[in-house]
């Protein structure tokens, strides 16, 4: 972590977009005043606020205490019993049994629509199968699937019987899968014969076979038939899903589970190589995702909601599966790549199903920008009423493009800040209430006490950068790191006294809006001025010739750190720059004009792609090592395209 207090913030963004009047009047929280009232109410008595939210849901036993806080351990709704799967499915059967719960489209163009009734039955059936296979409350089940309905069904079935799921992203390697299975001690693995990605089959079952070879806890493997390809089946261990469910009852009464019963483990990268198993529990997580989905996406009965995240990430857990289903909404799920067979696939899906709410990541938006607006222009996107982003700071350039080209200038954008650890959205505009500023996640949601502070916990004045913290526990917070409570306490609750430390740097402006500047370990210190790498990147991306940029620090004798920028230029005939000395000079000058001489990159390297994790985050750690001229070390299991690394290294020589 960086030393000292402030992080110099240099990004200036003055545009403000009020919620459109028609949107505001029809929304759940229709004005900034109403938001403020709710926020103040929650501040006066946070426990009463959360208890009020929780009463919307069904409980088999009431709580005796809303919050039991023994820092750093929180217990929410203690004494209560409930079931998440029941609240996602059974609760809606009487009122919306025949409404579409899940609209699924496979990459080859096949589709399935499951109503609440059907999803309920499939879930009950699979819950019964899990029980037959010997899975019991508290047992861990690894789910390693493509984006198919069975992924959601398996999660809901685990939650139904009280098994703890650990979804592992289908793009991870066999080794990464094995590490996660072993860390969690999973008893059963749910996988598929394969999945489709960019027209090719991803051989998931083969990866499971390799992983399970050295994963002694695994007793059974359940295989979804997706591609129909022949795969090796180990007798006694492996069975096909469709054979297992045959003739099994579609009735199952959801288990009544204690509020703090562990719901899932989800692995996320830390600053060290070993991934951390973030643990979420039942009731608090349920209350958090239920209320944030409703408020932030302003869900209405006729919405068709699409979050493009994979279920292998927390966004897929909270905002593809649990949040929308808790609200009785229709959630869209797409199996494949956004550019298959052509770069308009997502726009085609929006057009086809009349999607009204679309939630994606800035990295995807920048790819769409690079592909060009001719692709969305081929389709009718008039059904859209709300757009969202998550995962990283969005540069104002991409925000404006998203608003104009995808949102037709009429849809509010919710820039939602949160983490795997927070379980649910923490800071975001409410679309009918909060005026938005491109690049800001605006203000915390009611009940969430966020602050920007120095290392000793003192709030910093408006405009000044500092550490982003949460001052109070919230229901959907992580409870521990699986098998390592000490790491939990150390990583999250010891950097800033009395606060949960997010690992992010941020500033707040005079309107109380939060501007997240990225991880504090992505901060560069140049001649005593600390700069958020995102701000320099944002300036570079604002240049019309630049598609994408990543900025890292390199040790420098004179200035402490020098700024190295890795830049991808836009291709095609409209391109205004060719990689080379002239382009380098032009971009340096551009950054100087945008931010000031302090941010001028010392070195700009052109590359045709940046190394990214499979979730699309730029791997700055690797770029730092390349910039410093060293070897790359550590865990690269999350790297999307390892060849890029090799090329960057080769350029270095
Ligand atoms: O640095 C912040 C960034 O993503 C981190 C959390 O990553 P992860 O646990 O993978 O979860 C991603 C999906 C919730 C944060 O610490 N981040 C996430 N959303 C935003 C963001 N940074 C800026 N603005 C956001 N909206």
């Amino acid at each position: 972590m960086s030393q000292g207090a402030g992080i110099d913030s240099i990004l200036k963004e003055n545009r403000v977009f009020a919620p459109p009047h028609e949107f505001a009047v029809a929304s759940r929280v229709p004005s900034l005043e109403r938001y403020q009232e709710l926020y103040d109410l929650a501040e006066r008595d946070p426990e009463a606020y959360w208890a009020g939210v929780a009463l919307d849901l069904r409980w088999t036993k009431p709580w005796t205490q809303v919050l039991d806080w023994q820092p750093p351990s929180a217990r929410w709704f203690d004494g209560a019993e409930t079931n998440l799967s029941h609240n996602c499915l059974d609760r809606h059967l009487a009122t919306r049994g025949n409404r579409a719960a899940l609209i699924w489209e496979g990459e080859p163009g096949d589709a399935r629509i499951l109503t609440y009734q059907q999803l309920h039955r499939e879930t009950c059936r699979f819950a019964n199968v899990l029980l037959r296979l010997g899975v019991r409350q508290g047992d861990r089940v690894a789910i390693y699937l493509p984006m198919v309905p069975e992924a959601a069904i398996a999660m809901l079935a685990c939650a139904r019987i009280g098994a703890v799921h650990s979804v592992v992203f289908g793009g991870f390697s066999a080794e990464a899968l094995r590490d996660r299975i072993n860390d969690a001690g999973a008893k059963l693995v749910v996988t598929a014969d394969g999945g489709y990605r960019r027209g090719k089959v991803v051989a998931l079952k083969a990866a499971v076979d390799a992983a399970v070879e050295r994963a002694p806890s695994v007793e059974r493997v359940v295989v979804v038939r997706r591609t129909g390809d022949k795969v090796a089946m180990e007798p006694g261990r492996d069975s096909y899903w469709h054979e297992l469910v045959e003739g099994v009852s579609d009735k199952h009464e959801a288990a009544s589970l204690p509020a703090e019963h562990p719901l899932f483990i989800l692995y996320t990268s830390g600053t060290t190589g070993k991934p951390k198993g973030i643990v979420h529990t039942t009731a608090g997580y349920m209350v958090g995702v239920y209320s944030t989905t409703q408020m932030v996406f302003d869900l209405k009965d006729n919405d068709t909601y699409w979050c493009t995240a994979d279920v292998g990430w927390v966004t897929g857990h909270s905002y593809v599966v649990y949040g929308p289903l808790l609200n009785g909404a229709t959630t869209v799920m797409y199996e494949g790549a956004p550019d298959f067979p052509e770069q308009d696939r997502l726009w085609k899906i929006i057009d086809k199903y009349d999607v009204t709410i679309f939630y994606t990541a800035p990295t995807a938006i920048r790819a769409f920008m690079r592909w060009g607006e001719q692709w969305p222009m081929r389709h009718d996107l008039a059904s859209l009423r709300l757009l969202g982003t998550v995962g990283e700071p969005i540069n104002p350039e991409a925000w404006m493009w998203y608003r104009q080209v995808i949102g037709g200038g009429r849809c509010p954008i919710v820039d939602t800040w949160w983490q795997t650890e927070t379980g649910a959205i923490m800071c975001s505009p409410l679309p009918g209430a909060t005026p938005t500023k491109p690049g800001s996640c605006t203000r915390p949601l009611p009940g969430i006490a966020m602050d920007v502070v120095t290392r000793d916990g003192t709030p910093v004045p408006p405009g000044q950068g500092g550490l982003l913290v949460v001052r109070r526990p919230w229901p959907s917070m992580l409870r521990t790191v699986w098998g390592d409570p000490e790491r939990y306490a150390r990583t999250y609750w010891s950097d800033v006294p009395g606060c949960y430390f997010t690992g992010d740097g941020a500033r707040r402006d005079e309107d109380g809006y939060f501007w997240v500047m990225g991880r504090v370990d992505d901060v560069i210190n140049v001649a005593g001025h600390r700069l958020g790498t995102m701000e320099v990147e944002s300036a570079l991306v604002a240049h019309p010739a630049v598609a994408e940029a990543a900025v890292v620090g390199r040790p420098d004798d004179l200035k402490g750190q020098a700024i190295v920028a890795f830049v991808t230029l836009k291709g095609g005939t409209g391109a205004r720059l060719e990689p080379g000395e002239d382009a380098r000079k032009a971009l340096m000058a551009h950054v100087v004009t945008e931010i000031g001489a302090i941010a001028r990159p010392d070195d700009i390297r052109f590359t045709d792609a940046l190394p990214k994790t499979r979730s699309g985050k730029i791997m700055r750690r690797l770029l730092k090592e390349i910039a410093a001229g060293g070897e790359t070390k550590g865990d690269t299991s999350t790297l999307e395209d390892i060849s890029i690394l090799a090329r960057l290294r080769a350029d270095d020589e």
Side-chain angles (χ1 to χ4, degrees), residues 43-294:
E43 282 310 283
R44 278 197 295 277
D45 191 347
E47 293 178 31
Y49 173 79
W50 288 117
V53 174
L55 285 175
D56 282 0
L57 298 161
R58 283 197 195 154
W59 304 80
T60 36
K61 232 175 118 180
W63 51 87
T64 48
Q65 197 177 0
V66 177
L67 169 66
D68 175 11
W69 178 226
Q70 315 278 344
S73 295
R75 299 181 67 82
W76 282 91
F77 307 107
D78 222 6
E81 290 191 3
T82 185
N83 186 286
L84 177 57
S85 180
H86 175 99
N87 274 287
C88 286
L89 300 171
D90 311 46
R91 194 167 75 90
H92 305 304
L93 292 181
T95 50
R96 55 188 79 205
N98 288 322
R99 178 183 176 168
L102 185 64
I103 295 180
W104 173 82
E105 186 162 301
E107 196 186 71
D110 47 341
R112 276 169 74 187
I113 297 180
L114 290 160
T115 63
Y116 272 90
Q117 284 268 19
Q118 291 167 324
L119 187 59
H120 175 253
R121 285 184 193 156
E122 296 299 329
T123 300
C124 289
R125 243 188 220 122
F126 196 62
N128 285 324
V129 165
L130 289 175
L131 290 169
R132 275 195 187 187
L133 296 178
V135 178
R136 295 290 172 263
Q137 275 187 27
D139 285 348
R140 275 80 58 207
V141 171
I143 299 176
Y144 183 67
L145 282 172
M147 282 289 279
V148 290
E150 284 78 5
I153 296 168
M155 290 163 77
L156 289 160
C158 286
R160 206 165 175 90
I161 65 170
V164 181
H165 61 67
S166 163
V167 184
V168 179
F169 174 54
F172 275 128
S173 64
E175 285 93 302
L177 173 63
R178 181 195 298 139
D179 290 347
R180 286 159 177 75
I181 289 175
N182 284 334
D183 189 77
K187 192 169 181 179
L188 185 140
V189 182
V190 185
T191 188
D193 51 4
Y196 293 102
R197 185 81 192 172
R198 227 161 257 128
K200 297 204 177 70
V201 169
V202 184
L204 294 169
K205 177 61 168 60
V208 170
D209 291 341
V212 169
E213 251 173 46
R214 281 191 283 127
S217 59
V218 175
E219 294 169 12
R220 303 295 302 243
V221 176
V222 177
V223 184
V224 174
R225 196 160 67 184
R226 166 69 187 125
T227 62
D229 290 346
K230 202 168 156 41
V231 293
M233 296 291 282
E234 175 84 22
R237 187 194 69 186
D238 304 351
S239 324
Y240 279 109
W241 175 302
H242 65 275
E243 288 172 3
L244 289 168
V245 296
E246 221 174 76
V248 170
S249 162
D250 60 8
K251 296 199 173 27
H252 173 270
E253 194 178 334
S256 179
L257 300 169
E260 285 296 339
H261 186 75
L263 173 69
F264 67 81
I265 306 173
L266 185 57
Y267 287 86
T268 183
S269 310
T271 40
T272 67
K274 186 177 171 336
K276 300 176 275 207
I278 302 300
V279 177
H280 283 284
T281 57
T282 301
Y285 175 83
M286 172 171 81
V287 169
V289 298
Y290 162 74
S291 101
T292 51
T293 310
Q294 187 179 75

